[in-house]
Every structure is written in structure tokens, then in C-alpha cells.
Amino acid sequence: MADGEEPAKKRQRIEEQPEKMAVDVSSSSDWDGRWSHVQKFLERSGPFTHPDFEPSEETLQFLLETCKILVIGAGGLGCELLKNLALSGFRDIHVVDMDTIDVSNLNRQFLFRPKDVGRPKAEVAADFINSRVPGCHAVPHFKKIQDFDESFYRQFHIIVCGLDSIIARRWMNGMLLSLLIYEDGVLDPSSIIPLIDGGTEGFKGNLRVILPGMTACIDCTLELYPPQINFPMCTIASMPRLPEHCIEYVRILQWPKEKPFGDDVALDGDNPEHIQWVFQKSLERAAEFNITGITYRLTQGVVKRIIPAVASTNAVIAAACATEVFKIATSAYIPLNNYLVFNDVDGLYTYTFEAERKENCSACSQVPQKLQFPPSAKLQEVLEYLTENASLQMKSPAITATLEGKNKTLYLQTVASIEERTRPNLCKTLKELGLADGQELAVADVTTPQTVLFKLNFTS
């Protein structure tokens, strides 16, 4: 080294002054050359630019001063997205996340530190971005996406999702579809808010660009999202073959029976004592059937339904998402059309294809869905169809119909008193309930903010 300082001492000196370094950087505003890397894309043409793109200085000013982005999720993908967007020139960024920071997040969610454990992810992530990227104004929202109304979502130019929940994805998809304006059946393009959706699982990831009302939506390709794995109860109780069967046996059957921590104490996947108890009981269960492979980590993964996460996969997918946001916001390049698959389990593999709109999509087709049942079918069969059909995958559907001019709730699961009152309807036939051929059924579910209309067609 030129100053003769030992590497270890110099490293220690730097580590002891991180806050000072951050302050020194943020003391200056838009210094000369700060956005030169972005200007190269926006102020000159090139072989890959959009055919209608006109280079100008105004586009960069739009990014810096006007464009408003919403990031949903501040976890593994969300942290990467916030960093990428802030460093790309987007300054007005809102982030929504209902979760708090756990120790297990720190290995990949790099905006968080041990001192942040227990604090809201959205608030810590926004504070970190604001302190490290001069001029950026990240606004946190420590809430559920369902806590906001249409006016909140309507203010954004682009929405980016870094979620680990299919239900949340479908709800967000439904919200953006509900914002669309049609005039004489023609979609008003100004009402479209593009949705960029990224997802990762281990060494696999995907990205899609959705233009609501124009391209395939989340529900159009719902079959691509496999239902959550649930093991048959008979296998769990009588013929376990896998380590997961043993853990599920303890979680579902032994915990409520033995009540190890008291009558009213529910199993908490974040409580080490609870997980340790399940782990020990699962080992005992596995020993009875000569099953190996049960570990503490696997136990926690099964109890919490944890999706494995790899930092490098999050980085790749978040980079691709941020690139698509940049393309759409600037119109400089043609956006992805419209689905990308990434896999680096064995080597490196990426593939893009166009997911097509489904003509009878329950979310975006504006066509009442058909329900074909005989009059003798029970309402329970309709309920099972709504939850088990690969194109619907509803979670707790509430079914209502207009009978004799009055709106009647046939079944509602989420409110205990109404569920108890409407439960007898499940054993009644559609004819006994007074339903007729061509009857419209309105179904509400947590997967969408909109009510889905179904048309009942009686079969012989």
C-alpha cells in the first residue's frame, strides 16, 4: 500500500467508520456524471432500442422527478428490487410489507442488520435506501396490500411484486383489473398500470410482465402455480414414508392432543421451544417406522411452509424485474413478452415465452364463468369445485345468489356465526336451494378483491 498501512488495520479503520462514509456521500446531490450510465440508454439510439423511441433528456427527468413505483414485498426479492430501482434513477418509491424482520432473514435480505430484528421490514428497508442513495425518497407502508383502496394503487405508474404468496399475487392482479376503464367495450389505455411479477424458489425463478386487460394475467396461467402440497391424512396417520409425514403427524395430531405448552397455546413456527418439541416427537415417530432424514431445519420448514431461498437467485430475478421496469418507464426498449423462466440447478438455463390470455379467465375475461352441475348436486360439490379446480384454486369462497328478488348467502366460511347458520346448505341439492338453470352465483374469495360471477348450467 502507498501509505504503508497494514491491510488488517486499514480494514478495521474502514469498518469503524461506515456511518461517516455514508454521510460524506450523501452530502452531495446530483453530482456531475452521476446518471451517465442511464443517459447512455436514454439520450442516444442503438440497435436494440424500441422502433418508436426518441432519445431525449426529458426521459431521465421523468425517472428522477415524476415516475412513481410501488414495490410489494421487502423480503429477499424486495430488498434487491429497492436497491436496483433506487440506483437506476427511480426516486419516488413506495414499499408495502406486513412482515417484521426475523434472524433467518439476515443471510439474504441485505438491507437488514441484527439490530433490526423485530422491526417492520418496509420501514427498515426504506430507511436504509434513503440513507444510502442520495435524493431517493422511499416511503414504507407496514400494512397488508388489502388494507389499501383503489385510490392508493391508482397513483402509481408501475407496480412490482416480490411476493411469496399466490393469494397475494392474485389479489393484486384483481385490484389492477378493477382499475381498468372501458368505454363502449374498448379499454382505455391510460387506466392500465403495468404489473411486474417476480418469484423465486431455491435455484429456480420466474418473471412476468403483465399489462392488465391486454396480456395474460395471473389467473390466466393459474395452472402454472401448483397447489400447496398437503399429505393425505391416512398416509400421515397409518403409513408414513417420508420425514415430512412424521413432522405433519406431530403438527396436526400430536400437538392438539398433548398440548405441550398449555390448552390455548397454538403452534408457533418462530418459537424455538415449539419447533424443538415437534422435532423431538418427529424423531420418535420416524424411529418407529425406520425413517431417516429428520432435521431441525426440515422440521421448521414443514411447520412454517418455508420456501427455500437462495440469495443469487433473488439477485438475478430482481435484476430482470428492475430492467423491465426501466424499459416500461422509459419506452426505450421493447419489454419482455411476457414470461421468463430461470434455472441454475444444473448449469444455467433461461427461457422466455408468451403466455396467452385465457378467453374465459375468471379474473380478466369479463365473461361469467360456467358451472355445470345436475340439479341433484349438493352445494358441497360446488364448493369443492371452486377450491380444487386448477383454474380457480379459491381458498374460502363465499357463495351468494339472488332468489325471489333478494340477495341470499348460501355459504360463508370466514365469519363463524354465518358459517354455522349456512352450513346446512352444503348438504342440500341445488334444486332444494331454489336455484334454477341459468342462475347467476356471485362468489367472493380472498384471492381477489372483485366478486366473480358464475352462471349455473344444469346438466341432465
Side-chain angles (χ1 to χ4, degrees), residues 316-346:
V316 170
I317 296 301
C321 288
T323 301
E324 295 307 317
V325 173
F326 183 85
K327 290 180 185 177
I328 293 175
T330 63
S331 298
Y333 298 88
I334 300 174
L336 175 72
N337 185 30
N338 51 29
Y339 203 110
L340 178 145
V341 177
F342 172 82
N343 188 334
D344 63 345
V345 175
D346 297 307

Side-chain angles (χ1 to χ4, degrees), residues 14-229:
I14 293 173
E15 290 174 351
E16 288 174 351
Q17 299 177 336
E19 299 300 327
K20 184 176 184 300
M21 292 175 67
V23 171
D24 290 341
V25 173
S26 61
S27 62
S28 55
S29 56
D30 281 351
W31 53 90
D32 289 342
R34 180 181 182 186
W35 302 112
S36 59
H37 61 295
V38 179
Q39 290 172 310
K40 291 175 182 176
F41 294 107
L42 302 181
E43 297 181 8
R44 63 185 186 186
S45 187
F48 300 107
T49 53
H50 193 287
D52 299 327
F53 174 67
E54 295 183 3
S56 70
E57 297 179 0
E58 286 76 17
T59 308
L60 176 59
Q61 294 308 308
F62 171 75
L63 290 190
L64 298 175
E65 301 171 5
T66 307
C67 192
K68 201 168 189 177
I69 306 293
L70 175 63
V71 175
I72 301 178
L77 268 178
C79 286
E80 292 279 358
L81 279 167
L82 287 168
K83 175 259 295 180
N84 292 344
L85 293 171
L87 294 176
S88 298
F90 296 95
R91 287 175 156 172
D92 193 352
I93 306 173
H94 289 238
V95 55
V96 177
D97 197 298
M98 59 174 282
D99 204 1
T100 55
I101 299 167
D102 186 68
V103 174
S104 62
N105 302 146
L106 302 180
N107 69 334
R108 63 193 180 283
Q109 298 173 23
F110 61 91
L111 300 184
F112 310 140
R113 300 292 181 267
K115 64 181 176 62
D116 300 319
V117 171
R119 292 185 59 198
K121 288 184 177 181
E123 293 179 5
V124 175
D127 289 345
F128 195 105
I129 291 296
N130 290 337
S131 66
R132 292 294 293 271
V133 184
C136 188
H137 180 57
V139 181
H141 301 276
F142 179 43
K143 294 182 178 181
K144 298 179 181 178
I145 55 175
Q146 293 87 348
D147 292 340
F148 299 99
D149 59 13
E150 292 185 355
S151 62
F152 173 79
Y153 292 107
R154 205 183 296 275
Q155 65 181 306
F156 298 102
H157 291 93
I158 302 171
I159 295 178
V160 200
C161 286
L163 294 163
D164 58 3
S165 165
I166 304 300
I167 294 177
R169 279 188 175 92
R170 295 179 64 186
W171 192 93
M172 196 64 245
N173 178 70
M175 170 55 73
L176 295 185
L177 289 169
S178 72
L179 299 180
L180 298 178
I181 298 173
Y182 290 87
E183 297 179 0
D184 298 326
V186 180
L187 176 62
D188 180 1
S190 65
S191 66
I192 298 174
I193 301 176
L195 174 65
I196 315 297
D197 177 56
T200 65
E201 182 173 344
F203 291 99
K204 300 176 183 177
N206 68 83
L207 152 71
R208 61 189 307 176
V209 175
I210 298 171
L211 303 178
M214 294 182 63
T215 63
C217 74
I218 296 288
D219 283 44
C220 284
T221 56
L222 200 56
E223 294 90 343
L224 295 177
Y225 300 98
Q228 180 175 289
I229 297 175

Side-chain angles (χ1 to χ4, degrees), residues 196-355:
I196 315 297
D197 177 56
T200 65
E201 182 173 344
F203 291 99
K204 300 176 183 177
N206 68 83
L207 152 71
R208 61 189 307 176
V209 175
I210 298 171
L211 303 178
M214 294 182 63
T215 63
C217 74
I218 296 288
D219 283 44
C220 284
T221 56
L222 200 56
E223 294 90 343
L224 295 177
Y225 300 98
Q228 180 175 289
I229 297 175
N230 292 305
F231 302 107
M233 184 59 70
C234 58
T235 301
I236 295 172
S238 306
M239 299 176 292
R241 299 184 302 277
L242 301 172
E244 291 85 352
H245 294 161
C246 301
I247 299 169
E248 284 288 86
Y249 177 87
V250 177
R251 183 182 74 86
I252 296 174
L253 300 175
Q254 279 190 259
W255 181 278
K257 181 180 179 181
E258 300 188 19
K259 301 174 182 176
F261 293 87
D263 292 344
D264 299 324
V265 179
L267 177 56
D268 182 359
D270 292 316
N271 188 321
E273 294 182 359
H274 290 196
I275 297 298
Q276 185 64 33
W277 186 89
V278 175
F279 173 52
Q280 293 298 333
K281 292 295 181 180
S282 300
L283 286 174
E284 295 172 12
R285 174 77 172 168
E288 294 178 23
F289 294 89
N290 296 319
I291 296 174
T292 60
I294 290 182
T295 63
Y296 182 91
R297 174 171 289 190
L298 177 65
T299 303
Q300 189 176 41
V302 172
V303 171
K304 295 182 66 177
R305 294 291 196 264
I306 291 175
I307 299 173
V310 176
S312 58
T313 312
N314 285 333
V316 170
I317 296 301
C321 288
T323 301
E324 295 307 317
V325 173
F326 183 85
K327 290 180 185 177
I328 293 175
T330 63
S331 298
Y333 298 88
I334 300 174
L336 175 72
N337 185 30
N338 51 29
Y339 203 110
L340 178 145
V341 177
F342 172 82
N343 188 334
D344 63 345
V345 175
D346 297 307
L348 183 62
Y349 173 80
T350 60
Y351 177 70
T352 61
F353 65 92
E354 180 182 359

